[in-house]
Amino acid sequence: MEHVHLAVEEDDLYSGYNDYNPTFDSEELENDVGFQQAVRTSHGRRPPMTAKFPGTAIGARPLASSFGSRIPMVSSMGRPMTGAVQDGAARPMTAVRAAGYTSSLTRGSNFDPLGQSRGPAPPLEAKNEDTPDEKIKILEKKVNDLLEESCMAHSIGALQLALEKAKEAGRKERTLVRQREQSGNADINVDLTYSVLLNLANQYANNEMYPEALNSYQVIVKNKMFSNAGRLKVNMANIYFKQKNYPKAIKFYRMALDQISNSHKEMRIKIMQNIGVVFIRMGQYSDAITSFEHIMSESPNIKTGFNLILCYYAIGDRERMKKAFQKLISVPLSIDEDKYLPSNDDPGSNLVVEAIKNDKLHQMERDLKVLAEKYIMTAAKLIAPAIETSFATGFDWCVDMVKSSQYVELANDLEINKAITYLRQKDFNQAVETLKTFEKKDSRVKSAAATNLSFLYFLEKDYDQADRYADLAMNADRYNPAALINKGNTVFVKQDYEKAAEFYKEALRNDSSCTEALYNLGLTHKRLNRLEEALDCFLKLHAILRNSAQVMYQLANLYELLEDPQQAIEWLMQVISVTPTDPHVLAKLGELHDSEGDKSQAFQYYYESFRYFPSNIDVIEWLGAYYIETQFCEKAIQYFERATLIQPTQVKWQLMVASCYRRSGNYQKALETYKDIHSKFPENVECLRFLVRLCTDMGLKEVQEYATKLKKVEKMKEMREQRVKSGREGSARGRREGSAGSAGTSEAVKTVSQSESKQLSPLLDSGRGM
């Protein structure tokens, strides 16, 4: 604070500007002892500067200002400037050239310490690309760029482009080698040559150009400059395996195995596993077992254990199947699920767990566990019927082994598979009994078992039991979409469509990819006559199941109901592209074209439908009528004769056959046909009328006989109609008399009628369902 001067009103703010340190007074230099001593030293004897102002110290010359020349300056704090002598001590003067100052400054020049006024720097000297070394570097860069482009093209699935880039890289690399030879440079980039050849061979293999790939691999393997090239014999063996040349594949696998040291244990295990797979393809199960057993003793893994079980199953060795299954379930997965559990004490560790629980490493671990469970389930289902006298006993043994292993949660899934096996064997009672044992298990297993039971009872049309087990499955696991679908189905058959739609929607909320729920929801909207909503459901389903004929047929049917036959025809054409031999779809196309007035196109589809399914009465009737309409009655006969074979008790088809004969002018054949019909249906009035007409036209004697029979049949028919009419009048009179009776009698009749209606209700519903 002692150097701080406070300005007061009486002080002169500009005082002190004319004061200067006597040290800077050039007029007194002759009397300055320190200056004179410096002049006498070697510093003073230096050659004179060529600048206009001699000397390097600013203190040797007073600075000029706009207020006047030769005015020495001092700071406002009273501090002497650099170079001043303080307390009588001599101090050498300081050079200021490094800061951008120079003694050669002339009056009026600008301050430019960075030299920006000199303009931009001259351009760099261009490289001479004509030199051999530069050409070699450029070629190397081009080869590396082509290799990278080839690999990138392969990564995105552009195999042909990757091969073209690999070939171009090979051509550039050969040009590079020739360039080196011409320049006298004997150094060859072995790594670059190896990379080019290997990439070319791989791209040939990816494009299934196996002979070219084998030649490229052979070039690498035979070149002594490439170290460890013998490993590529594994690639050559893989190609021979794809070509189903199994003996040569084994030969090259073994050659590769001989050239890989024991330090690369994992590589050797993979090659031995490939050898075992090749032996399985060749049917040499004993040799395959030898390879797999060695792997299971050295480095056991899930895939090898499963293959070993397959080999034992192929040779029918029960005991070794059991031992192999025990080895399979004892293979360690080295997965620590505890590290993904959050800790209540350490927030930092919880953040780490949150970050890693969905990373790629955890996903790989989950995939490995799912794969292991799949192999174990498949192996158990495979060996269960073979290791014991019955498959149930075998399943029980597998379940006991799994319960004592690290896959204890798979035991319940195995028991459910046991029930499904019963279903495949048509043993529904055993399947139901097996599934009922899960009613006291945990919620997930109980829900799965109850879902299957509900499905079974639904197939057996025991809708009450199906509804009961659907409720049980939902109570055990409300988020089980299969349980919700089964519940919706039981409500659907009871015609409560609104409630069924709610269950299907809930199933979709739990699993948006559940196609069964979406399909059933579309059917429900269709029953409720919400055609636009149903159309939306089936369009969404078509986006998921692109080739589902059922979905496309439903879309066609909806467009037909929406009175858009052209769209319906387009969707049916898509159905035909998936199932070209479906007779019902072909008949529907014929019906739509017929309604549009296109008879020729309708005839084509009806004819195709008849060709694939010649027993559809509607199609037969349309084709026969079409030929009659087009005046080809002879061709219509074959269709009506087929209808007669399908429905022999229907007289109209036989009458149509006789009518075709009559229309075509074959009266004799028509007469014979009518006589045959009369023998089978003697009371048919229409047949007798045509017989009378034909006999009259042909002048036959039987005309009187058939005329008498016709009158008799007509009279009997008239009497029958009168009898029916009188019976109806009598029953109406009885009902009027009954309405005047006692109240007790009326109540009794009402009770009986209600009972009868309850018994007939299911039959009526069944009839409507058909």
Side-chain angles (χ1 to χ4, degrees):
M1 295 294 293
E2 59 186 2
H3 298 293
V4 177
H5 301 281
L6 300 176
V8 295
E9 294 180 0
E10 291 78 14
D11 291 342
D12 186 5
L13 294 176
Y14 296 97
S15 63
Y17 276 91
N18 293 326
D19 297 337
Y20 62 94
N21 195 304
T23 304
F24 300 119
D25 190 0
S26 61
E27 297 179 353
E28 298 294 328
L29 288 179
E30 294 180 357
N31 300 326
D32 192 337
V33 180
F35 179 78
Q36 293 299 327
Q37 183 179 357
V39 169
R40 295 189 188 100
T41 63
S42 61
H43 177 77
R45 291 195 295 273
R46 286 183 301 175
M49 303 291 291
T50 59
K52 183 177 181 181
F53 301 113
T56 60
I58 299 178
R61 181 177 178 270
L63 297 176
S65 68
S66 60
F67 294 101
S69 62
R70 300 177 62 84
I71 299 177
M73 297 185 67
V74 67
S75 68
S76 61
M77 299 298 295
R79 179 179 179 274
M81 298 183 67
T82 306
V85 179
Q86 298 180 2
D87 300 331
R91 181 176 183 275
M93 302 184 74
T94 304
V96 294
R97 183 179 295 276
Y101 296 97
T102 178
S103 60
S104 62
L105 289 174
T106 58
R107 188 178 301 276
S109 62
N110 295 327
F111 176 72
D112 187 17
L114 300 179
Q116 297 178 359
S117 62
R118 290 178 294 181
L124 298 175
E125 183 179 356
K127 289 185 178 180
N128 187 5
E129 297 183 358
D130 294 334
T131 61
D133 291 341
E134 288 298 325
K135 289 182 178 179
I136 290 173
K137 288 181 180 178
I138 292 172
L139 276 175
E140 279 189 352
K141 187 176 184 306
K142 287 182 179 179
V143 173
N144 285 314
D145 290 343
L146 287 170
L147 279 175
E148 184 176 351
E149 290 174 8
S150 176
C151 296
M152 291 299 294
H154 174 259
S155 67
I156 63 175
L159 301 182
Q160 189 62 35
L161 178 61
L163 179 59
E164 293 298 327
K165 294 292 183 181
K167 288 180 179 179
E168 189 176 353
R171 290 191 292 269
K172 293 288 185 183
E173 195 273 335
R174 288 192 292 272
T175 304
L176 175 62
V177 171
R178 288 194 298 269
Q179 187 73 25
R180 288 182 185 276
E181 292 174 352
Q182 292 174 1
S183 64
N185 190 352
D187 296 335
I188 299 176
N189 193 341
V190 179
D191 293 337
L192 183 61
T193 304
Y194 180 82
S195 300
V196 170
L197 291 174
L198 179 59
N199 181 60
L200 181 61
N202 290 339
Q203 299 308 330
Y204 275 132
N206 292 331
N207 284 271
E208 298 183 359
M209 301 171 67
Y210 297 133
E212 292 84 354
L214 289 172
N215 291 336
S216 299
Y217 285 128
Q218 199 71 32
V219 170
I220 301 174
V221 170
K222 288 184 177 181
N223 197 326
K224 301 298 182 181
M225 292 190 303
F226 303 139
S227 59
N228 298 323
R231 297 184 180 184
L232 295 181
K233 291 182 179 178
V234 175
N235 296 27
M236 300 175 71
N238 291 340
I239 292 176
Y240 285 123
F241 179 80
K242 291 177 181 178
Q243 292 178 332
K244 298 184 179 180
N245 191 350
Y246 300 131
K248 213 158 189 178
I250 290 177
K251 175 185 174 182
F252 275 84
Y253 278 134
R254 285 176 171 168
M255 290 169 65
L257 196 63
D258 293 338
Q259 296 187 10
I260 296 176
S261 63
N262 292 327
S263 59
H264 298 87
K265 182 179 178 181
E266 187 176 354
M267 176 68 75
R268 291 178 62 86
I269 290 296
K270 289 182 178 179
I271 294 175
M272 292 187 68
Q273 188 170 347
N274 288 356
I275 292 173
V277 172
V278 177
F279 277 129
I280 290 178
R281 290 294 184 92
M282 297 174 66
Q284 300 179 13
Y285 300 113
S286 300
D287 295 329
I289 287 171
T290 303
S291 297
F292 293 143
E293 284 181 342
H294 176 75
I295 296 172
M296 292 300 288
S297 61
E298 293 291 330
S299 178
N301 60 80
I302 292 293
K303 189 176 292 186
T304 303
F306 181 73
N307 288 336
L308 185 59
I309 291 175
L310 292 179
C311 292
Y312 287 142
Y313 180 82
I315 64 175
D317 193 333
R318 293 185 177 183
E319 293 302 322
R320 295 170 84 179
M321 269 191 274
K322 290 183 177 181
K323 292 180 181 179
F325 185 77
Q326 291 174 338
K327 288 182 181 180
L328 178 64
I329 61 178
S330 62
V331 172
L333 295 180
S334 302
I335 297 176
D336 183 15
E337 293 290 344
D338 295 337
K339 65 182 178 182
Y340 300 108
L341 298 177
S343 174
N344 297 326
D345 303 330
D346 189 0
S349 64
N350 290 342
L351 292 175
V352 174
V353 169
E354 192 69 25
I356 67 173
K357 70 179 183 180
N358 290 321
D359 62 356
K360 291 186 177 181
L361 179 60
H362 193 199
Q363 185 62 42
M364 289 174 61
E365 291 177 346
R366 284 198 293 261
D367 293 342
L368 178 61
K369 186 176 181 181
V370 169
L371 182 66
E373 292 177 352
K374 176 185 175 183
Y375 280 139
I376 291 170
M377 291 288 292
T378 306
K381 290 188 286 186
L382 177 68
I383 69 172
I387 58 177
E388 299 291 346
T389 55
S390 66
F391 91 93
T393 310
F395 258 109
D396 292 339
W397 181 87
C398 292
V399 169
D400 293 338
M401 291 296 104
V402 170
K403 283 182 178 178
S404 61
S405 71
Q406 57 184 324
Y407 304 99
V408 61
E409 67 274 5
L410 288 181
N412 293 323
D413 295 334
L414 276 174
E415 292 191 22
I416 291 179
N417 273 283
K418 178 181 175 183
I420 294 174
T421 307
Y422 277 127
L423 285 178
R424 289 174 179 160
Q425 296 179 352
K426 309 296 186 191
D427 193 348
F428 294 100
N429 294 329
Q430 284 291 338
V432 171
E433 290 299 324
T434 305
L435 291 172
K436 284 183 176 179
T437 59
F438 290 94
E439 292 186 12
K440 296 182 180 180
K441 296 289 182 71
D442 62 352
S443 59
R444 185 185 68 84
V445 179
K446 184 194 296 184
S447 178
T451 300
N452 289 336
L453 283 169
S454 175
F455 173 72
L456 284 175
Y457 283 120
F458 188 84
L459 291 181
E460 293 179 348
K461 297 185 179 181
D462 189 350
Y463 300 127
D464 292 334
Q465 286 292 336
D467 186 56
R468 173 175 170 268
Y469 279 102
D471 288 334
L472 184 63
M474 288 168 54
N475 293 332
D477 183 6
R478 185 70 186 188
Y479 298 99
N480 183 357
L484 292 165
I485 291 172
N486 285 345
K487 179 63 177 178
N489 291 344
T490 58
V491 177
F492 185 92
V493 296
K494 296 176 182 177
Q495 300 183 2
D496 191 352
Y497 302 123
E498 293 286 354
K499 199 170 183 180
E502 291 300 322
F503 284 114
Y504 296 141
K505 288 177 181 178
E506 186 176 354
L508 285 171
R509 284 194 294 270
N510 294 337
D511 182 7
S512 59
S513 63
C514 186
T515 55
E516 294 85 357
L518 193 56
Y519 187 89
N520 291 353
L521 181 61
L523 292 180
T524 306
H525 286 313
K526 187 177 173 183
R527 289 292 180 93
L528 292 169
N529 204 29
R530 299 171 183 168
L531 301 182
E532 293 294 341
E533 295 180 19
L535 188 65
D536 183 55
C537 290
F538 284 114
L539 286 173
K540 289 179 181 177
L541 193 57
H542 177 67
I544 301 172
L545 306 174
R546 301 296 299 180
N547 295 323
S548 174
Q550 293 179 341
V551 175
M552 290 187 284
Y553 186 84
Q554 290 294 337
L555 286 167
N557 183 247
L558 284 169
Y559 277 115
E560 183 185 4
L561 295 175
L562 290 168
E563 297 180 356
D564 190 350
Q566 292 301 324
Q567 281 288 339
I569 289 173
E570 288 183 12
W571 281 107
L572 288 176
M573 292 299 294
Q574 293 191 38
V575 177
I576 289 298
S577 66
V578 177
T579 56
T581 61
D582 191 326
H584 298 288
V585 177
L586 291 167
K588 192 65 181 176
L589 274 169
E591 180 185 342
L592 288 173
H593 280 293
D594 186 26
S595 64
E596 290 292 297
D598 191 349
K599 291 286 186 181
S600 60
Q601 197 71 23
F603 169 75
Q604 180 182 347
Y605 287 114
Y606 272 123
Y607 182 77
E608 287 295 314
S609 175
F610 174 77
R611 195 162 62 89
Y612 290 118
F613 183 57
S615 300
N616 190 332
I617 291 295
D618 295 331
V619 174
I620 292 172
E621 184 177 8
W622 191 93
L623 288 170
Y626 174 79
Y627 279 119
I628 291 175
E629 185 179 349
T630 54
Q631 306 298 322
F632 291 100
C633 300
E634 299 88 349
K635 293 184 177 181
I637 292 173
Q638 59 174 333
Y639 295 104
F640 292 126
E641 285 179 344
R642 182 172 291 275
T644 302
L645 294 175
I646 297 170
Q647 295 180 346
T649 58
Q650 293 289 331
V651 68
K652 67 176 182 177
W653 306 122
Q654 300 182 39
L655 290 172
M656 290 301 297
V657 172
S659 175
C660 289
Y661 282 125
R662 182 173 55 82
R663 288 170 182 266
S664 61
N666 193 348
Y667 298 114
Q668 186 62 39
K669 191 68 176 175
L671 180 62
E672 293 175 2
T673 306
Y674 279 125
K675 287 181 179 180
D676 185 53
I677 296 171
H678 177 65
S679 63
K680 295 177 182 178
F681 304 94
E683 296 183 357
N684 188 273
V685 177
E686 188 175 357
C687 177
L688 287 171
R689 286 175 181 169
F690 279 112
L691 278 172
V692 171
R693 185 184 301 177
L694 278 174
C695 291
T696 303
D697 295 340
M698 297 173 68
L700 299 178
K701 298 178 181 180
E702 295 97 331
V703 62
Q704 190 63 38
E705 179 185 354
Y706 291 124
T708 305
K709 289 182 179 180
L710 177 60
K711 291 179 181 180
K712 184 178 180 181
V713 170
E714 288 178 344
K715 189 175 181 179
M716 290 174 59
K717 184 178 180 181
E718 184 178 351
M719 292 174 61
R720 191 181 299 117
E721 290 177 355
Q722 289 180 355
R723 194 180 303 117
V724 171
K725 185 177 180 181
S726 62
R728 288 176 181 173
E729 292 176 354
S731 60
R733 191 181 305 111
R735 283 196 297 271
R736 288 195 295 271
E737 291 176 356
S739 61
S742 64
T745 305
S746 175
E747 187 68 26
V749 172
K750 182 178 179 180
T751 304
V752 172
S753 65
Q754 287 180 353
S755 176
E756 289 175 354
S757 67
K758 289 180 181 178
Q759 293 175 1
L760 290 174
S761 178
L763 296 176
L764 293 173
D765 288 347
S766 177
R768 285 197 295 272
M770 293 177 65

